[in-house]
C-alpha cells in the first residue's frame, strides 16, 4: 500500500512539474507574439491588433495555441484594462484567462460583478429620482436648465466622484444660489 501511495505522489509531482513547464512554454510563445505585434513602446493598440489579426496566418497561429480570435475588438476589450492600450502583462494574463472553457469560478465572478453593477446603477437611478424635475425613465432630455437643477446636478456629480460606496447623497443638503 505504501509503495502505491508513493507512486501516486510521484505521479502527481511529475504532472505538476509538466504542467508548469507547459505553461512556461506557452507564456514564452505569448511573449514572442506580443513582441512581434508591439511597435517597441511596450503597448498594443486596438488598431494594431485588428491589423495583425486580419492576417490569416496569424489567426491560424493563435488557433494552434487553442485561442479563437474571430473577433479582434472583443479580444482587445478583454485584454485591455480600460486605458486603450494593452501591456505585455495584460496580454499574457488576458490570453491565459481566455484559454480553455469557462471555469465555474469565472462564471461566479461574472455573476458577482453583474450584481455589484446592478446595485450601483440602482443607487444612481435613486439619486436621479431625487433631483427635482428629473424623470430618469424618460428618454427625452432629463433636466431643464434652472439654477436649482444646476446646483443639484453639481452636487450629484460631486457625490459620484466620492464613490458609490459612500452613503447615498441627500439632495436636501444642496443650497441653491440666488
Amino acid at each position: 500500500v505504501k509503495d502505491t501511495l508513493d507512486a501516486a505522489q510521484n505521479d502527481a509531482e511529475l504532472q505538476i512539474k509538466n504542467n508548469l513547464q507547459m505553461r512556461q512554454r506557452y507564456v514564452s510563445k505569448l511573449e514572442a507574439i506580443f513582441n512581434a505585434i508591439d511597435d517597441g513602446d511596450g503597448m498594443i493598440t486596438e488598431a494594431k491588433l485588428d491589423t495583425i489579426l486580419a492576417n490569416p496566418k496569424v489567426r491560424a497561429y493563435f488557433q494552434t495555441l487553442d485561442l479563437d480570435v474571430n473577433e479582434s475588438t472583443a479580444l482587445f476589450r478583454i485584454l485591455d484594462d480600460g486605458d486603450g492600450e494593452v501591456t505585455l502583462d495584460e496580454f499574457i494574463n488576458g490570453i491565459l484567462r481566455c484559454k480553455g472553457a469557462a471555469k465555474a469560478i469565472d462564471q461566479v465572478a461574472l455573476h458577482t460583478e453583474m450584481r455589484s453593477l446592478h446595485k450601483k446603477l440602482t443607487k444612481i437611478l435613486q439619486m436621479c429620482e431625487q433631483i427635482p424635475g428629473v424623470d430618469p425613465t424618460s428618454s427625452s432630455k432629463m433636466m431643464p436648465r434652472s439654477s436649482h437643477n444646476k446646483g443639484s446636478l453639481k452636487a450629484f456629480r460631486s457625490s459620484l466622484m466620492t464613490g458609490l460606496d459612500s452613503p447615498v447623497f441627500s439632495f436636501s443638503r444642496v443650497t441653491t444660489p440666488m
Side-chain angles (χ1 to χ4, degrees), residues 66-130:
D66 293 329
L67 292 169
D68 185 11
V69 291
N70 288 326
E71 183 59 49
S72 61
T73 301
L75 177 63
F76 185 83
R77 289 185 180 149
I78 290 168
L79 300 176
D80 184 26
D81 66 0
D83 63 359
E85 298 176 318
V86 175
T87 65
L88 176 62
D89 286 340
E90 290 171 344
F91 185 77
I92 291 173
N93 292 330
I95 295 291
L96 288 175
R97 288 198 54 123
C98 291
K99 190 173 175 349
K103 299 173 187 88
I105 194 165
D106 293 330
Q107 293 174 359
V108 170
L110 181 60
H111 181 71
T112 301
E113 183 65 23
M114 293 291 289
R115 256 194 338 249
S116 173
L117 287 172
H118 182 266
K119 286 179 183 178
K120 288 178 182 180
L121 288 172
T122 300
K123 282 184 181 180
I124 290 172
L125 184 60
Q126 289 169 349
M127 293 168 76
C128 288
E129 288 170 347
Q130 294 177 12

Side-chain angles (χ1 to χ4, degrees), residues 8-62:
Q9 178 67 27
N10 288 338
D11 286 345
E13 289 174 7
L14 182 61
Q15 183 66 37
I16 290 170
K17 182 180 175 184
N18 287 340
N19 287 348
L20 290 173
Q21 288 174 344
M22 285 176 38
R23 179 181 168 93
Q24 184 54 48
R25 283 193 298 269
Y26 192 82
V27 167
S28 295
K29 289 178 182 178
L30 292 177
E31 287 175 352
I33 292 171
F34 181 89
N35 291 330
I37 298 171
D38 177 27
D39 290 331
D41 61 355
M43 302 284 189
I44 297 175
T45 62
E46 185 174 356
K48 183 67 173 173
L49 188 64
D50 285 343
T51 302
I52 293 297
L53 291 179
N55 183 332
K57 289 182 181 180
V58 173
R59 284 182 182 273
Y61 184 72
F62 270 93

